[in-house]
Amino acid sequence: MSGAAGAGIDQVLAALADPHRRMVVERLRDRPHRAGELAEAAGLSAPAMSRHLRALRASGLIEESHPDFDARVRIYRLCPEPMARLKAWVDQMDQLWSRQLAAFKAHVEADTADTTDGSDAE
């Protein structure tokens, strides 16, 4: 992947490199949460969680909304598109390595067969 798609995957991988951010993504898998709930679950201060949430928003992994009853409350939910792009990239790499390993296996088996056939001729 190259260009903007590759840059997006880089941002997703960078965001997921932090264990606190992965914990946020795992918690949001089940349902949306308030920022305070996420901070409490992670054992982080509100400002520390805010920095992690900002990185996750920048990567596109989560989105923020405000309920009508209180604009100060921030609710976070997962966005499926970045993870789908990451999964597609991983699948492409898996296919590439599967083909490479299959070709290597065929080469080794052919080389072994040639060696075995050649030694019988002597």
Side-chain angles (χ1 to χ4, degrees):
M1 233 175 240
S2 61
I9 290 191
D10 291 347
Q11 278 190 305
V12 170
L13 290 171
L16 293 173
D18 184 275
H20 291 108
R21 294 181 197 145
R22 287 193 306 274
M23 186 275 314
V24 168
V25 168
E26 289 170 9
R27 289 193 65 88
L28 293 176
R29 177 182 56 200
D30 299 327
R31 66 176 179 85
H33 286 277
R34 293 187 339 258
E37 292 173 328
L38 295 168
E40 184 178 328
L44 296 174
S45 67
M49 180 53 69
S50 179
R51 287 188 295 274
H52 289 298
L53 293 170
R54 188 171 25 255
L56 288 167
R57 279 194 323 268
S59 73
L61 283 166
I62 65 171
E63 63 183 7
E64 175 186 298
S65 64
H66 302 275
D68 294 334
F69 64 86
D70 190 348
R72 296 172 298 170
V73 174
R74 293 180 178 154
I75 306 290
Y76 293 91
R77 66 182 38 84
L78 281 179
C79 297
E81 297 83 15
M83 289 298 255
R85 286 193 308 267
L86 179 58
K87 183 182 180 321
W89 179 79
V90 169
D91 289 345
Q92 288 174 355
M93 292 302 104
D94 182 53
Q95 290 173 6
L96 169 72
W97 282 106
S98 292
R99 287 192 307 269
Q100 293 291 324
L101 290 172
F104 179 68
K105 178 182 177 192
H107 173 74
V108 169
E109 288 173 347
D111 192 43
T112 303
D114 289 345
T115 304
T116 304
D117 291 342
S119 65
D120 290 342
E122 290 180 22

